[in-house]
Structures are given as structure tokens and as C-alpha cells.
Amino acid sequence: MTYPPPSDGWQDPAWSGHQPDPTLPASGPPVSAQPIGKDPYAPADPYAGAPLIPGQAGPVDPYAAAAAYPQPSGYPQPAGFPGYGGYQPPPPQSGLAIASMIVSIIGAIGLCGYGLGGYIGIIGAILGHVARKQIRERGEGGAGFATAGIVVGWISTVIAVLATIALVVFFVWLANQESTTGYGTSY
């Protein structure tokens, strides 16, 4: 099996009698696929076209070259940068909505104390309802905080009521039990 000579122009003396394969492409200097000319993406020179005499220098707009490129038809013009007038800051958050959520969470944590601390959730739920009304009237933000305060507040209140009922039933049951300790006599 024979191999063709390397394509970089170097000739091995052992290959001196070998003829190159005419079906292989001839090697040569690389050919540029694009014509060499002015780079269309190069930044515009702000001093191009300005007079060389210092006393006669006029103002030069460095962005005038960018306006010379026409926009393709069928495409909308690009919108302005959002930081220059197109950006609307978010509305302020309602402090009452945040307070509603915090108080309701404290009520939910209060359920750990025999469930009676959940009654604080009523305050959080009421604050949440008031906050939602203020948010609608004033256009403030924080509707999610108010909703969270309402939901968590009412859930902790319901659990506190159920825990209270359970405790009352337990203590009534406990009071009606007969003593089995043997210290007293049963009637």
C-alpha cells in the first residue's frame, strides 16, 4: 500500500520517484473566502471628517454613522432602552400586608402551645383583609403577602378553635372519671 506525499511541500527523499495522485487536490496558500475591505462592524471614528485646524473644529456626531444603516422593512423599529423613560418602578409594598403575614405566621407557630396561640391568627387574617382593600384602593403591591396572611391566619384560628374544643372535652372527660388510686373509698 502506498501513501501520497505530504501536502505541505516537504519532500521525503524516499518519495522522490513517486508520482502524486492527480485526483487529490493540490495544496497551496489558503484562500480567503471573504474579500478584504473595510470592517462593517468596526466602531465609528469620531474624529473622521473633522478639520485639522484646531480653531475650526466643529462638533462631530459619533453616532451619525449608525443612523446611516436603514432598518429592514417588515421589522419594527427597536424600542428605547428601558432605563431611559420606558421603565416603570414597581409600586410600593403595603406594610399592612407584610404585617398581616408576619402576625399570621406567629399565630401558626403559637399552635405549638396547646394550640391556643393560634388565636393570634385572627389578628393576622383581619389585617390581611384590610390590607387587600387598601391595595385595591391605592394601587400598592403586596397582594400576595395579604393573601398569605389571610389564609395562614384563618387556618391557625380554626386549628386553635379545634384545639380548644378538644382540650375542654378532654378536661370534662377527665373530671368525670372515678379515682382508681385506692386512697379514698368509693361510694
Side-chain angles (χ1 to χ4, degrees):
M1 178 170 188
T2 61
Y3 294 100
S7 62
D8 61 357
W10 180 79
Q11 294 293 326
D12 188 6
W15 285 86
S16 62
H18 179 34
Q19 296 293 330
D21 188 4
T23 60
L24 294 176
S27 65
V31 178
S32 174
Q34 298 202 2
I36 298 174
K38 184 177 177 188
D39 183 11
Y41 300 109
D45 185 10
Y47 301 108
L52 297 177
I53 303 172
Q56 296 179 355
V60 176
D61 184 13
Y63 302 105
Y69 293 108
Q71 292 292 326
S73 62
Y75 292 103
Q77 294 291 329
F81 187 71
Y84 295 109
Y87 176 73
Q88 294 291 331
Q93 296 289 324
S94 171
L96 197 58
I98 296 171
S100 162
M101 187 185 68
I102 291 172
V103 170
S104 294
I105 290 173
I106 291 172
I109 293 172
L111 290 171
C112 296
Y114 297 110
L116 300 178
Y119 285 113
I120 298 172
I122 293 174
I123 298 169
I126 292 171
L127 286 175
H129 285 292
V130 173
R132 283 183 60 178
K133 181 180 178 189
Q134 285 183 357
I135 288 169
R136 280 191 302 253
E137 291 173 355
R138 299 179 186 173
E140 294 177 326
F145 290 131
T147 304
I150 292 169
V151 170
V152 173
W154 284 123
I155 289 174
S156 64
T157 302
V158 167
I159 293 173
V161 168
L162 293 175
T164 303
I165 292 171
L167 285 173
V168 168
V169 168
F170 175 73
F171 285 124
V172 167
W173 174 80
L174 189 63
N176 289 329
Q177 294 295 314
E178 290 185 15
S179 175
T180 58
T181 58
Y183 290 118
T185 57
S186 31
Y187 298 103

